[in-house]
Amino acid sequence: MAVRISRRRATAGALGAVLVLALLGGGLWWFTARDGRDTATPVATWSYTEAKAVAGAGDGGFNPHAVAAAKGVLVAAGDAPDPSGDGYNLDAWYSTDAVTWKKGDLRTVGRGAEWYSEFTDLMAWDGGFVVAAKGIDTSGGLGVLSSEPAFFSADGRTWRLLDPPDPTATGRPDYFTDGAHLYASRDGRTLWRLADDTRRWKAVDARAPEGCRMHGRADAPGTGDAVITGTCDHVSRPALYRVSDGGASLRDLSPSLPKRLYGGITDAAVHGDTLLLSGYQETRPGTGTSPAPDGEGALDGTGALDGDGDGHDTTRPVFLRSTDGGGHWSDVAALPVPADAKPGSGIVNDLLVTGDTFLATGSVLVNELVHPALWVSRDGTHWTTHRLRAFAEDGYLGPCAALDGRVVIPALTGTGPVRTAGLFTSAPGGSGTPSATRPAPPTTTSAPPDTSPPDTAPPTAAPSAPAPSTTSPLSPEDVYALAAPWNGEISGSSGPAAHYRVLVTLSPGAVAEPTARDLKGNLKILGDTGCTATLAEPTVRADGTLVFRPGNRKPPLPGMVLEGSYYCPDTVELRRTGAGELSWSSSGGYTGKIAPGAVD
């Protein structure tokens, strides 16, 4: 599938998502995927491997941003640390088993003495692989965009420069594939197809309507049809096309899309006549709800975004499904989320078809923070969810691929440059052995399709939080549920002030099976008479109460505050409540409630 890291991250940026996730080192876990119709989807065993520990990575520079599969080979491409130690440069790796990786020769191809390349795109089809890049010239002392090259490989090992489809045109081509052919477009309207010799391009008849452009493609492995996404009317309206017969036929599916869709389509996938797409839909100003698309049930307002802060022109994530090849669309019922996540917070960023199964990767909200998640479905309507364990601060899932039933998902951090924390890998066909140390988390399956009448928003369940363990120590699930910033107001009578605003941040650190003793963090009592302190290694009472003894306590203005004129507790007791809050009790008789979220 076409892989566009910049597009994925731009979507996350528009959401204003700040991903603050607990570190995870490694380990295995498993979940049973059921699609709501039957139990035919096998058990999947997922493992996480840190980038530095990936077999065959060798030099420590394993840093792929995306993965694609073709011809029995997986290729991973990204910007890896340059051996000279001076910045990052385009590189690629290949694997035939999704476990052991080897480096190809991409780093050495097409480079001038004073320029390097940055990754922008990865594409796979029956003929091989294409990596698109930005060529940066540093000869003048500053990095200047000098070219936008593409590189071709038939096997992921040996690479060469790929000639552009139209040497007279300007701009970087967008690439599309139907699994059998590679297409490209420079102007967004006309298509070229790569010949079987992978060196010549041929102009084809497919052409986007006036005022519209083609940008990316849906996941459609081996179907012979390319479903291409795009935009019209200066990117305000999404477009969708189906290219078939080697480019001889282009069918415009855009008129059938719900009228309230706005901007570009985040991603799409096709399997037979079933199409899925994720994107954004305008909401009624000030309501947070969407008008019913084309007479169908209205969407609830979860996740609505206000682009300019004025209460108008808001959008919300939307997930749609067509079973007739794109002729008619309906809303996918709210994606199920894990028990400790906010109901209705599931957002899809990437779609993959593997065998007869759809796989969607995205995120859910836990304590108002974004956590990686994935969903599995046989029919595109009933979904099973699993939240992949948080692996790093500011982390997210990259575009993924499947080889012989084994799915590989890059775990990424940062935006510039992107760093690869590691790889999530599933065992093929559920043949792996579940971890003996981690019990199977509960599987969550989506509800039956919504049957609410038109213009009626489906009911939204009240947010809930998992109850803490009733015995010490807390389970790993309870510990992960505490990983967040928490803030609120406490009241007392024996300190310099009657009320304080407090901020507590907690994380279990890089531990695969954390206990409460692994929790560490910081405490801030805000204000001129407050303090800062560290939190670590709490004791746990039978009712789940965490008891911290703050260390390294400091007044807000060291050396300028008199002893006794500020408040810094000797002990802090925190206990999770059923309302998703933490009850606070500290020395000096201060009590209160703190809720997830950082202080502005």
Side-chain angles (χ1 to χ4, degrees):
M1 63 177 295
V3 173
R4 306 185 191 283
I5 292 291
S6 59
R7 175 170 62 84
R8 304 273 189 259
R9 295 298 292 164
T11 298
L15 291 173
V18 179
L19 312 182
V20 184
L21 307 176
L23 291 168
L24 173 64
L28 297 172
W29 59 92
W30 62 280
F31 69 99
T32 303
R34 294 189 174 92
D35 63 9
R37 300 176 307 158
D38 53 50
T39 58
T41 306
V43 172
T45 304
W46 288 87
S47 64
Y48 176 71
T49 306
E50 291 184 345
K52 63 184 179 182
V54 170
D59 62 1
F62 186 71
N63 196 53
H65 305 165
V67 181
K71 303 172 64 173
V73 177
L74 283 168
V75 165
D79 299 321
D82 195 274
S84 66
D86 185 17
Y88 285 71
N89 210 334
L90 182 67
D91 214 338
W93 302 260
Y94 64 94
S95 175
T96 57
D97 60 7
V99 176
T100 301
W101 294 82
K102 297 180 181 180
K103 184 179 292 189
D105 65 358
L106 178 57
R107 183 188 292 274
T108 66
V109 177
R111 307 293 202 280
E114 295 181 299
W115 71 279
Y116 64 94
S117 287
E118 292 181 350
F119 173 88
T120 60
D121 205 353
L122 173 63
M123 177 66 66
W125 78 105
D126 287 348
F129 304 86
V130 163
V131 171
K134 296 179 181 179
I136 310 297
D137 185 357
T138 62
S139 60
L142 297 175
V144 178
L145 179 64
S146 61
S147 61
E148 295 179 293
F151 304 87
F152 168 81
S153 176
D155 55 11
R157 306 180 188 185
T158 304
W159 295 84
R160 61 171 170 82
L161 281 169
L162 182 68
D163 292 332
D166 182 2
T168 65
T170 59
R172 180 182 63 84
D174 289 303
Y175 294 98
F176 319 100
T177 178
D178 56 13
H181 308 93
L182 180 72
Y183 302 93
S185 177
R186 274 191 181 271
D187 60 8
R189 294 195 63 207
T190 57
L191 278 180
W192 300 70
R193 189 183 73 231
L194 189 65
D196 292 341
D197 63 8
T198 67
R199 292 186 178 274
R200 295 175 296 108
W201 291 91
K202 177 183 178 181
V204 296
D205 294 334
R207 188 177 183 89
E210 187 72 32
C212 299
R213 294 177 59 88
M214 295 176 280
H215 297 301
R217 69 165 285 271
D219 192 81
T223 64
D225 290 338
V227 176
I228 299 176
T229 64
T231 53
C232 300
D233 304 331
H234 302 289
V235 309
S236 65
R237 180 168 58 88
L240 192 66
Y241 312 98
R242 192 155 189 168
V243 180
S244 57
D245 299 329
S249 172
L250 184 143
R251 178 188 174 197
D252 187 2
L253 305 179
S254 307
S256 68
L257 294 174
K259 300 301 184 293
R260 300 290 292 185
L261 285 180
Y262 184 84
I265 294 171
T266 304
D267 201 16
V270 57
H271 181 56
D273 286 329
T274 299
L275 276 72
L276 301 174
L277 68 83
S278 61
Y280 289 88
Q281 183 162 348
E282 292 180 304
T283 60
R284 291 191 182 108
T287 67
T289 59
S290 298
D294 298 343
E296 296 160 7
L299 299 165
D300 64 47
T302 304
L305 306 173
D306 183 352
D308 53 16
D310 64 358
H312 301 284
D313 299 326
T314 56
T315 62
R316 67 172 303 280
V318 65
F319 193 30
L320 301 177
R321 172 179 179 259
S322 172
T323 58
D324 60 1
H328 300 83
W329 296 87
S330 60
D331 303 331
V332 174
L335 290 169
V337 299
D340 59 349
K342 181 179 180 179
S345 65
I347 295 177
V348 173
N349 289 331
D350 199 61
L351 289 160
L352 176 72
V353 178
T354 172
D356 61 353
T357 301
F358 290 102
L359 185 145
T361 62
S363 62
V364 296
L365 287 177
V366 180
N367 296 336
E368 300 303 322
L369 302 177
V370 180
H371 283 228
L374 66 81
W375 295 267
V376 178
S377 175
R378 285 286 180 84
D379 59 3
T381 297
H382 306 92
W383 293 83
T384 298
T385 186
H386 182 71
R387 191 185 81 243
L388 294 179
R389 288 297 175 211
F391 54 84
E393 293 184 359
D394 190 24
Y396 56 101
L397 302 177
C400 55
L403 178 68
D404 297 331
R406 189 190 298 268
V407 179
V408 178
I409 308 175
L412 308 179
T413 66
T415 55
V418 175
R419 303 284 201 279
T420 303
L423 297 178
F424 287 105
T425 308
S426 71
S431 60
T433 303
S435 167
T437 59
R438 183 186 296 275
T443 299
T444 307
T445 305
S446 60
D450 177 44
T451 56
S452 58
D455 297 320
T456 301
T460 301
S464 61
S469 300
T470 56
T471 60
S472 179
L474 300 183
S475 72
E477 295 291 329
D478 299 326
V479 175
Y480 278 118
L482 294 167
W486 303 79
N487 82 89
E489 187 174 271
I490 60 173
S491 302
S493 58
S494 62
H499 305 281
Y500 288 101
R501 191 75 177 173
V502 301
L503 173 64
V504 173
T505 59
L506 296 173
S507 171
V511 180
E513 296 289 332
T515 67
R517 297 287 287 180
D518 296 310
L519 283 169
K520 297 180 180 180
N522 296 290
L523 163 67
K524 287 185 178 180
I525 306 292
L526 303 178
D528 293 340
T529 58
C531 75
T532 61
T534 58
L535 302 174
E537 298 185 349
T539 58
V540 187
R541 294 178 180 161
D543 64 353
T545 299
L546 302 173
V547 181
F548 289 95
R549 296 191 178 277
N552 196 28
R553 296 181 295 163
K554 297 178 180 179
L557 300 172
M560 299 179 64
V561 178
L562 297 177
E563 184 68 26
S565 65
Y566 66 95
Y567 175 65
C568 214
D570 297 321
T571 60
V572 173
E573 299 179 4
L574 302 174
R575 182 172 59 83
R576 193 165 176 83
T577 70
E581 300 174 318
L582 294 179
S583 64
W584 168 291
S585 178
S586 61
S587 54
Y590 282 83
T591 59
K593 297 289 180 64
I594 57 177
V599 176
D600 294 333

